[in-house]
Amino acid sequence: MIPTVDQVVSEVEKLAADLPEVCRTRRIGTSRLGEPLRMLSVGHGTRNALVVGCPHPNEPIGLHTVLELATRVATTPGLREGLDFSWHFVPCIDPDGTRLNEGWFPGPLTIRSYHENFYRPAYVDQPEWTFPVLDERAFFDRMLPETQALARVIDELRPRFQYSLHNADFGGVFFILNGGLPGMAEDLGAVAAEQGVPLSLGPVDTLGWATAAPAVYLMPPAETLIEVAARGTRDAVRHGGSSAHYAERHGTTTLITEVPFWRDRRSDDVSDSGRSYADSLRHTATELRDDRAVLSELYEEIRPLLVVPSPMRTSIADQLATAASAAAANDVMAERTPARPATVAEVFAASTVVHMLRLRASGMMRRQLAVEHAAGNQPPESRAVKRHLDELFDTWCAAAESELSQDAFPVRQLVSVQAEAALAVVRRLASCG
């Protein structure tokens, strides 16, 4: 269903070998575990487009998109010389993290299989969110080796266009721009319609963000996002800037396309839900806090007993902090929002946040305990927590399966959305010279 890191790297090298007149590859860095980071360059235009796969390792549709888009560009002169663009593809910027998700790549993609084999790094372990921020109020300079490699490429290429390939979980597609040109946001909405993927008209990761068009959000400043991520937690700063923030020094237009795994007809339903929007936000905040309290208590029971240095441990703590900051964000938005009814899409999006965070945290806690027990570290207290976690995970999976759709989009359809979105933005940029 989804290619592994090794398969994608092999296909990229094969494309370069088959079309050496337009393709070339080179090493741009090294991952924390020693994996070479490769980049494929296609064409010889005067302007550069940079495409980055797997900025979050649980979001691998971009692995397919890199192969699809690179092949199209390499075999279509009009997308290179015709637009005067050279294209540069980093197939997978986080191979170490992506390998920890490969257990669910073969499919079939279900809510249970996804979360049983799920890994998402803590913010401080994400190449996408560890770019430097030098503002005293949100200072961050703990760049990862992968982030350093990508920063060097951005500074070298000074890309006119940068594209970060992401996935959402449930519902519809949404886009993020760091500005862009007139008409660009409308182009993206047209791409979604042409490819038959509904828009996500309720915010998931973008609560309170400004929009340029329906489901096309504008990237806030790094300092704003850092403040929001730390709200409700004990941390002053949980992450740095994104690649979009870093590339702004070169006047780069950055696009993020978040395509969903599972379709749901509620994602673009703007009819009245019968609920107040503020009440919906407060209800979400309460559920997030309740789930976090249960999981935090279990984690505190087992944390002193853990001995295996798995990356899951940092990620679990980070997911619990994310639940706290998301709850605080919902409360703040509830206070600031004028009285109005919530749309069906807004209520649906809020419900997915609750399902998403509790399944991610409990799934990774179960994975950590599995490696502990496999290593022989299984005292009675740890076994008791594992039984409790298994019961919670089963209950929460059943609730998600009952309340949400498991009708998975064809991967090809999602790849088409990401590829066509990139081409729409590049054509708009090319037309402006």
Side-chain angles (χ1 to χ4, degrees), residues 147-379:
T147 314
Q148 293 173 13
L150 188 53
R152 289 194 298 267
V153 167
I154 291 170
D155 289 337
E156 173 194 336
L157 297 178
R158 304 172 66 89
R160 186 70 185 87
F161 173 61
Q162 179 179 237
Y163 195 21
S164 192
L165 298 166
H166 289 253
N167 301 150
D169 287 356
F170 305 99
V173 61
F174 65 96
F175 306 92
I176 300 170
L177 285 167
N178 67 333
L181 299 172
M184 198 172 278
E186 290 74 16
D187 292 344
L188 294 170
V191 166
E194 290 164 2
Q195 300 303 319
V197 177
L199 297 175
S200 178
L201 297 181
V204 178
D205 300 324
T206 55
L207 187 64
W209 292 21
T211 57
V216 182
Y217 295 91
L218 297 175
M219 176 73 79
E223 294 79 7
T224 300
L225 296 177
I226 290 170
E227 178 188 0
V228 170
R231 190 180 294 151
T233 74
R234 300 174 183 175
D235 304 296
V237 173
R238 293 179 59 211
H239 62 76
S242 72
S243 57
H245 297 121
Y246 187 81
E248 283 178 353
R249 67 191 62 198
H250 303 301
T252 302
T253 294
T254 295
L255 169 67
I256 294 170
T257 298
E258 297 262 10
V259 290
F261 289 130
W262 294 284
R263 74 174 81 236
D264 196 295
R265 57 182 176 76
R266 293 168 289 181
S267 68
D268 62 352
D269 186 344
V270 294
S271 64
D272 187 340
S273 68
R275 299 177 62 179
S276 154
Y277 186 47
D279 286 346
S280 174
L281 292 167
R282 293 189 185 98
H283 178 70
T284 299
T286 298
E287 288 196 293
L288 288 169
R289 287 197 181 93
D290 288 347
D291 291 343
R292 180 185 179 277
V294 170
L295 290 169
S296 294
E297 183 176 346
L298 290 173
Y299 191 53
E300 287 306 308
E301 284 186 47
I302 61 169
R303 191 164 57 85
L305 306 173
L306 302 179
V307 298
V308 179
S310 158
M312 299 291 165
R313 292 169 63 172
T314 307
S315 298
I316 293 162
D318 191 73
Q319 283 294 306
L320 296 174
T322 296
S325 64
N330 275 267
D331 277 338
V332 169
M333 186 59 61
E335 293 302 316
R336 294 177 179 174
T337 299
R340 67 169 178 85
T343 66
V344 171
E346 288 169 334
V347 172
F348 166 73
S351 73
T352 68
V353 174
V354 174
H355 288 294
M356 179 178 71
L357 290 178
R358 67 191 187 185
L359 284 171
R360 289 180 175 189
S362 60
M364 288 193 291
M365 287 174 70
R366 292 175 77 239
R367 288 190 74 176
Q368 178 66 37
L369 285 178
V371 298
E372 297 284 345
H373 293 179
N377 179 32
Q378 44 182 314

Side-chain angles (χ1 to χ4, degrees), residues 15-255:
L15 179 64
D18 290 345
L19 298 170
E21 66 279 6
V22 294
C23 295
R24 56 222 177 264
T25 62
R26 65 182 170 104
R27 184 171 179 171
I28 60 169
T30 309
S31 77
R32 280 157 285 171
L33 292 182
E35 180 97 4
L37 302 175
R38 306 288 293 176
M39 183 170 75
L40 168 71
S41 297
V42 184
H44 304 280
T46 61
R47 292 172 290 192
N48 292 308
L50 175 61
V51 182
V52 181
C54 279
H56 291 140
N58 61 299
E59 303 177 4
I61 296 298
L63 295 174
H64 264 302
T65 304
V66 163
L67 296 177
E68 167 71 19
L69 192 52
T71 301
R72 285 180 66 181
V73 170
T75 56
T76 309
L79 298 179
R80 305 187 314 270
E81 291 80 4
L83 297 174
D84 193 25
F85 265 87
S86 295
W87 292 75
H88 308 271
F89 299 89
V90 179
C92 183
I93 193 61
D94 188 1
D96 302 341
T98 302
R99 293 183 191 283
L100 293 177
N101 280 282
E102 288 182 348
W104 59 266
F105 284 11
L109 179 59
T110 66
I111 290 172
R112 175 175 284 274
S113 68
Y114 177 59
H115 290 99
E116 281 183 331
N117 299 281
F118 177 91
Y119 170 69
R120 184 180 179 92
Y123 270 124
V124 294
D125 292 325
Q126 294 180 16
E128 178 63 82
W129 283 107
T130 46
F131 285 85
V133 176
L134 305 183
D135 189 301
E136 287 287 347
R137 297 166 297 171
F139 192 89
F140 186 94
D141 63 354
R142 300 188 299 278
M143 295 176 72
L144 303 173
E146 298 89 340
T147 314
Q148 293 173 13
L150 188 53
R152 289 194 298 267
V153 167
I154 291 170
D155 289 337
E156 173 194 336
L157 297 178
R158 304 172 66 89
R160 186 70 185 87
F161 173 61
Q162 179 179 237
Y163 195 21
S164 192
L165 298 166
H166 289 253
N167 301 150
D169 287 356
F170 305 99
V173 61
F174 65 96
F175 306 92
I176 300 170
L177 285 167
N178 67 333
L181 299 172
M184 198 172 278
E186 290 74 16
D187 292 344
L188 294 170
V191 166
E194 290 164 2
Q195 300 303 319
V197 177
L199 297 175
S200 178
L201 297 181
V204 178
D205 300 324
T206 55
L207 187 64
W209 292 21
T211 57
V216 182
Y217 295 91
L218 297 175
M219 176 73 79
E223 294 79 7
T224 300
L225 296 177
I226 290 170
E227 178 188 0
V228 170
R231 190 180 294 151
T233 74
R234 300 174 183 175
D235 304 296
V237 173
R238 293 179 59 211
H239 62 76
S242 72
S243 57
H245 297 121
Y246 187 81
E248 283 178 353
R249 67 191 62 198
H250 303 301
T252 302
T253 294
T254 295
L255 169 67

